[in-house]
Amino acid sequence: GSQLVASGTALAVHSLEDDSDFLVIPYSTGGGIRSVCWHPRIQCFLTVDDARSMRRWRPDGTLLTVSTGHLTSIGFRVDWSHDSQLLAISDSPPNDAIRVYSRSGVIDNTFEGDWPIAWHPAERQIAVRQHHGQSFEIRDAQGTQTPIRVGIATSAKSVAWSPDGKRLAFGRDD
């Protein structure tokens, strides 16, 4: 396994198997990295950045592809579904939209929400922040809201599902 760390101007990949040194990948796009995620089934990861580009990388730092057509604004978060069939990208304000792409790169759906986002670890459901961080909704891949809505007192900055999919953890401003 590898650990991926991103900052504004560089990516770093660290092997947890042999605790090898970080591989630092310079990132000179004219903008900082907003989000990074591993592909759930193959050895590659994606980044989205301030330059409105999405980049696909190998763990050794080889840049595989650059896409600029998917992001209408700065993409704040990117996340693969557990089965790798769907990719969700949250747009920055004022758009406040989540775009869900099929594997072929076609938009499957667009629905209201903003960053952060997180796909369920086993289902085609996604936790989406609503109302500028005051609540989260669980939506299916088509954007239909499930009966689950989680209200929080302050603005959430991050969200993650537990591995069993029964809990959500939030990073928030208190």
Side-chain angles (χ1 to χ4, degrees), residues 6-174:
S7 71
T9 58
L11 290 166
V13 181
H14 182 77
S15 172
L16 300 176
E17 293 172 345
D18 61 5
D19 197 30
S20 64
D21 291 338
F22 278 91
L23 167 67
V24 177
I25 305 163
Y27 202 90
S28 55
T29 64
I33 299 165
R34 289 291 181 165
S35 184
V36 62
C37 72
W38 284 104
H39 189 284
R41 300 194 181 212
I42 59 175
Q43 287 295 308
C44 72
F45 58 90
L46 292 177
T47 59
V48 293
D49 58 45
D50 288 342
R52 297 184 183 172
S53 67
M54 182 168 53
R55 297 165 190 268
R56 189 167 57 102
W57 305 81
R58 284 193 185 125
D60 67 2
T62 303
L63 179 62
L64 298 171
T65 58
V66 178
S67 173
T68 56
H70 292 304
L71 303 177
T72 56
S73 64
I74 296 170
F76 268 161
R77 295 291 182 266
V78 61
D79 199 22
W80 285 104
S81 63
H82 74 284
D83 60 3
S84 73
Q85 299 301 306
L86 301 171
L87 179 69
I89 301 173
S90 64
D91 281 350
S92 62
N95 294 348
D96 290 343
I98 308 299
R99 295 184 195 334
V100 178
Y101 293 87
S102 67
R103 193 172 182 155
S104 63
V106 175
I107 293 179
D108 251 16
N109 203 347
T110 300
F111 50 89
E112 184 181 336
D114 61 11
W115 63 277
I117 55 174
W119 284 103
H120 188 279
E123 304 290 333
R124 283 195 169 186
Q125 294 180 331
I126 188 167
V128 177
R129 187 175 85 165
Q130 296 290 328
H131 310 290
H132 304 287
Q134 300 304 309
S135 67
F136 275 89
E137 294 174 352
I138 310 304
R139 295 182 172 258
D140 65 18
Q142 287 72 44
T144 305
Q145 182 181 343
T146 67
I148 302 168
R149 185 177 181 143
V150 180
I152 53 178
T154 61
S155 182
K157 302 295 186 191
S158 60
V159 62
W161 288 92
S162 62
D164 63 6
K166 294 181 181 179
R167 294 183 234 35
L168 282 173
F170 305 98
R172 61 185 211 183
D173 291 333
D174 277 347

